[in-house]
Amino acid sequence: MISLEQRCQDLTLGALCDFLKTHDRYLILTHSAPDGDTLGSAFALRAVLAAIGKQSYVVCPDGVPEKFRFFAKEDAKPDFEPETILSVDIADEQLLGKVKDTYAGRIEVAIDHHVSNTHFAKNLYLDASASATCECIYDILTALGLPLEREICEALYTGISTDTGCFKYSNTTPKTHRIAAELMLRGIDYAEINRIMFDTKTRARIELERAALDAAEFHFGGKCLILPVTLKMRQATGCTAEDVEGISVISRSIEGVKAGVTIKQMDEDLFKISLRTYEPLDASAICQKMGGGGHRAAAGCTLSGTLSEVKETILQFVGQALEETDAGTASV
Amino acid sequence: MISLEQRCQDLTLGALCDFLKTHDRYLILTHSAPDGDTLGSAFALRAVLAAIGKQSYVVCPDGVPEKFRFFAKEDAKPDFEPETILSVDIADEQLLGKVKDTYAGRIEVAIDHHVSNTHFAKNLYLDASASATCECIYDILTALGLPLEREICEALYTGISTDTGCFKYSNTTPKTHRIAAELMLRGIDYAEINRIMFDTKTRARIELERAALDAAEFHFGGKCLILPVTLKMRQATGCTAEDVEGISVISRSIEGVKAGVTIKQMDEDLFKISLRTYEPLDASAICQKMGGGGHRAAAGCTLSGTLSEVKETILQFVGQALEETDAGTASV
């Protein structure tokens, strides 16, 4: 890690702009299982580069999900030989997914907002105070003195809105709101964007939520909710991977729950655990005991065994954590 | 109506500030079934009036719901005789609810953002471009040159956030975001406010949603969803009126639905209908045919009869509207 960090050069905003102006023929990489921020960043950056007379094209390892296609319009093969590889919103080379073998070790500049960025690129422009990488792209655009075209605004708004839960979460800053105000001035249909991103569920997803909630269990006097999402449920409801995305939010949205545990079955005896906690519980500490990790309020791990074995393991560690904190002794 | 309007004086922001400075002993009225905006406006205005040396107290006809009490701290009886009655976020005197007989016809100034305000007060400060009445209170505070105290910021942020669906809906403007940025600079815990307002459901509410979705029916090839919320469901799940609030949002959150109809049973043979539509359907026009009204995307009416009679009536008018527009002829 240290040797990698030594090789990775941190860039200021000014240095990044100089780099972009003095290179050409860009290839822009998004992360696998793409979200609004990586796509918004990539397609806005493509427009920024076009505005300063540079060629570029976007490589999205898993393709662009339907709901982002109103701004994320993929090119056919580029008509130029790429020279300079950029990545947006990628914290770790593992997130290159299918194209990892092709591009790992070859990225010239990573543009990112994850404090956990592993410094895998030759150069890194990192703004960990940004709510989304799209905020970084906005800063680049402003620093280059470019106008806010409507298409760019749509891409950036989508990235910022999705990464902040529509300005709901603690990563939202006053600057985030000020940028949103500027983007909205360009007449984008932000209400429709938000409807697509937040208020549209497929019928399969609704069915899946219902099945998961039917199988949900409360433990420790309602302080822990176990939400199982089994392969059988996914098959019965016809849910795609996209439909399942974000379901763990439900586990901590119920009043009184301090630890929301979503158990996603990946294979017959393999489960991905997503743990969402409220103070004073530390999700990261709990998941570390099960071989995983993450943030204080949201962490994860992978467990093998039967569903009831996996549940038992989780309940043991969550119960321990509840007992060690005041959360366990409060009125039930 | 016209004679009322003639008697109602429109105030500019400057005139409103002059009024507030030259009167005293205020009573501030919120609307019945209070939401974040009427409460945020009332308690922020109380603090504004205190800052300019005026006495005031808030009357909330239905009391303050638990989740707003962190900023909306009701006074005991006032220790002064009220002289000047103000209302905030009230579009029509009917919304005074329980205190209508006491205060109707006596309101000196209504401060509001509803374009539908019926000009019931002696004076009206109306900003229909504001996303929330809390934006109006922010403007008053700024015009008076007062500092943004943390308590005021919490109240105003809550009102703006709840009235815009956390900056999600089309009533959000660039100004809304700029105000949010200013309020956040005062160190409020906006993420926790949003968690309480948007991401916390009671177990009774979750049970009710499940029961309603279990009884939901799709019609016209999935373009119309009927979501029944019966008294039996409310009893079985133990839902309070507060738990039921906002459930109609679900009806239009399912992919493909153009008309989401929530049928809330109020009495054995009385139903409140809430219709949410997407273009090209006009919810207001549909509800007008059933004796109700509202906005283009959200409207309502009240119907008598059995549940199946009520459903039949609604399906007739929704079906007609789907047929009259392109929505009915699209692929099923």
Side-chain angles (χ1 to χ4, degrees):
Chain A
M1 182 73 96
I2 288 166
S3 65
L4 263 177
E5 286 196 26
Q6 283 171 339
R7 274 184 293 155
C8 176
Q9 181 79 39
D10 283 319
L11 297 182
T12 62
L13 182 59
L16 172 62
C17 290
D18 286 342
F19 183 101
L20 295 177
K21 283 188 278 190
T22 52
H23 292 71
D24 201 351
R25 299 169 186 271
Y26 292 97
L27 186 153
I28 305 167
L29 292 167
T30 75
H31 61 70
S32 61
D35 58 14
D37 192 27
T38 198
L39 292 169
S41 298
F43 287 89
L45 182 58
R46 185 178 72 176
V48 164
L49 291 171
I52 59 169
K54 306 294 182 181
Q55 287 182 293
S56 73
Y57 84 110
V58 173
V59 170
C60 185
D62 295 334
V64 176
E66 173 63 30
K67 68 175 175 179
F68 298 112
R69 290 193 195 146
F70 68 98
F71 74 82
K73 298 183 180 90
E74 282 188 286
D75 297 313
K77 292 266 162 201
D79 50 2
F80 63 91
E81 195 57 45
E83 281 170 9
T84 319
I85 303 174
L86 309 175
S87 72
V88 285
D89 200 42
I90 295 183
D92 188 301
E93 277 184 334
Q94 296 301 327
L95 296 168
L96 289 169
K98 287 173 195 158
V99 301
K100 191 182 145 224
D101 291 346
T102 316
Y103 297 114
R106 295 177 53 202
I107 295 169
E108 291 288 336
V109 183
I111 302 172
D112 194 16
H113 76 124
H114 293 97
V115 69
S116 58
N117 189 291
T118 59
H119 296 75
F120 58 85
K122 292 174 195 161
N123 300 280
L124 172 64
Y125 175 71
L126 176 71
D127 181 358
S129 76
S131 70
T133 300
C134 279
E135 276 196 28
C136 306
I137 308 295
Y138 178 89
D139 286 341
I140 295 168
L141 184 143
T142 309
L144 289 171
L146 298 173
L148 281 168
E149 302 291 349
R150 189 192 153 98
E151 205 183 333
I152 293 179
C153 293
E154 283 180 338
L156 295 180
Y157 184 92
T158 304
I160 291 172
S161 171
T162 50
D163 251 32
T164 57
C166 210
F167 311 96
K168 201 196 285 175
Y169 300 134
S170 58
N171 61 342
T172 311
T173 68
K175 183 180 170 186
T176 312
H177 279 287
R178 283 191 291 262
I179 293 174
E182 290 301 315
L183 300 175
M184 283 165 69
L185 286 173
R186 271 66 192 182
I188 60 172
D189 194 348
Y190 54 92
E192 177 66 5
I193 293 174
N194 291 329
R195 185 183 77 75
I196 295 168
M197 299 302 149
F198 300 105
D199 285 343
T200 307
K201 290 181 181 178
T202 61
R203 281 167 73 166
R205 166 62 177 255
I206 299 259
E207 293 294 332
L208 183 72
E209 287 187 10
R210 204 193 299 187
L213 281 169
D214 277 337
E217 294 168 16
F218 286 95
H219 293 272
F220 308 116
K223 293 199 178 63
C224 174
L225 179 82
I226 302 269
L227 190 77
V229 180
T230 63
L231 288 176
K232 214 169 145 188
M233 287 178 197
R234 286 187 53 175
Q235 280 148 12
T237 56
C239 272
T240 63
E242 214 178 319
D243 288 329
V244 180
E245 202 187 294
I247 199 163
S248 52
V249 171
I250 298 175
S251 71
R252 68 161 169 191
S253 72
I254 299 173
E255 204 177 42
V257 170
K258 295 275 176 197
V261 185
T262 307
I263 305 183
K264 267 190 228 169
Q265 187 174 26
M266 308 309 289
D267 206 342
E268 203 44 58
D269 56 357
L270 189 70
F271 298 86
K272 252 178 103 167
I273 315 302
S274 165
L275 175 62
R276 308 288 187 115
T277 55
Y278 288 120
E279 294 294 334
L281 293 185
D282 180 348
S284 173
I286 297 170
C287 285
Q288 267 171 29
K289 290 180 186 167
M290 298 183 284
H295 304 280
R296 192 167 170 87
C301 62
T302 304
L303 293 177
S304 298
T306 65
L307 180 56
S308 48
E309 283 166 0
V310 163
K311 266 191 222 168
E312 208 179 306
T313 305
I314 297 162
L315 285 173
Q316 185 198 326
F317 288 110
V318 169
Q320 215 171 70
L322 281 167
E323 226 167 77
E324 283 165 13
T325 64
D326 281 346
T329 55
S331 71
V332 173
Chain B
M1 182 74 94
I2 289 165
S3 64
L4 264 176
E5 286 196 25
Q6 283 170 336
R7 275 185 293 155
C8 177
Q9 182 79 39
D10 282 321
L11 297 183
T12 62
L13 182 59
L16 172 61
C17 290
D18 287 343
F19 183 101
L20 295 176
K21 282 188 278 189
T22 52
H23 292 70
D24 201 350
R25 299 169 185 273
Y26 291 98
L27 186 154
I28 305 167
L29 292 167
T30 75
H31 61 68
S32 60
D35 58 13
D37 192 27
T38 198
L39 291 170
S41 297
F43 287 90
L45 181 58
R46 185 179 71 176
V48 163
L49 291 171
I52 58 169
K54 306 294 182 181
Q55 286 182 292
S56 73
Y57 84 109
V58 174
V59 170
C60 185
D62 296 335
V64 175
E66 173 63 31
K67 69 176 175 179
F68 298 113
R69 289 195 195 145
F70 68 98
F71 74 82
K73 298 184 180 89
E74 283 188 286
D75 296 313
K77 291 266 164 201
D79 49 4
F80 61 92
E81 195 57 44
E83 282 169 10
T84 320
I85 303 174
L86 309 175
S87 72
V88 285
D89 200 42
I90 295 183
D92 188 301
E93 278 184 332
Q94 296 301 327
L95 297 168
L96 290 170
K98 287 174 195 156
V99 300
K100 190 181 146 229
D101 290 345
T102 315
Y103 297 114
R106 295 177 53 201
I107 296 170
E108 290 288 336
V109 184
I111 302 172
D112 194 16
H113 75 124
H114 293 97
V115 69
S116 58
N117 188 291
T118 59
H119 296 74
F120 58 85
K122 291 174 196 162
N123 299 279
L124 171 64
Y125 175 72
L126 176 71
D127 181 359
S129 76
S131 71
T133 300
C134 278
E135 277 196 27
C136 306
I137 309 295
Y138 177 89
D139 286 340
I140 294 167
L141 184 143
T142 308
L144 289 171
L146 298 173
L148 282 168
E149 302 292 349
R150 189 194 153 99
E151 206 185 332
I152 292 179
C153 292
E154 283 180 338
L156 294 180
Y157 183 92
T158 304
I160 290 172
S161 172
T162 50
D163 250 33
T164 58
C166 211
F167 312 96
K168 200 196 284 176
Y169 301 133
S170 58
N171 61 341
T172 312
T173 68
K175 183 180 170 186
T176 312
H177 279 287
R178 284 192 290 263
I179 293 174
E182 290 301 315
L183 299 176
M184 283 165 68
L185 286 173
R186 271 67 192 182
I188 60 173
D189 194 349
Y190 53 92
E192 177 66 5
I193 292 174
N194 291 329
R195 186 182 76 75
I196 295 168
M197 298 302 148
F198 300 106
D199 286 343
T200 307
K201 290 180 183 179
T202 60
R203 282 167 73 167
R205 167 60 176 255
I206 299 259
E207 292 296 330
L208 183 73
E209 287 188 9
R210 202 195 300 186
L213 281 167
D214 277 336
E217 295 168 14
F218 286 96
H219 292 272
F220 308 116
K223 291 199 178 62
C224 174
L225 178 82
I226 301 269
L227 190 78
V229 180
T230 63
L231 287 177
K232 213 169 143 188
M233 287 178 197
R234 287 186 53 174
Q235 278 148 13
T237 57
C239 272
T240 63
E242 215 178 315
D243 289 329
V244 180
E245 203 189 292
I247 199 162
S248 53
V249 172
I250 297 175
S251 71
R252 68 162 170 191
S253 71
I254 299 173
E255 203 175 43
V257 170
K258 295 275 177 198
V261 185
T262 307
I263 305 184
K264 267 189 231 171
Q265 188 175 26
M266 308 308 288
D267 206 343
E268 203 42 60
D269 55 357
L270 189 71
F271 298 85
K272 252 179 102 168
I273 315 303
S274 164
L275 175 63
R276 307 289 187 115
T277 56
Y278 288 120
E279 292 296 333
L281 292 186
D282 181 348
S284 173
I286 297 170
C287 284
Q288 267 171 30
K289 290 180 185 166
M290 298 184 284
H295 304 280
R296 193 168 168 85
C301 61
T302 304
L303 294 176
S304 299
T306 66
L307 180 56
S308 48
E309 283 165 0
V310 164
K311 267 191 220 167
E312 207 179 304
T313 305
I314 297 163
L315 285 172
Q316 183 198 327
F317 288 110
V318 169
Q320 217 170 68
L322 282 167
E323 226 166 76
E324 283 164 14
T325 64
D326 280 348
T329 56
S331 70
V332 173

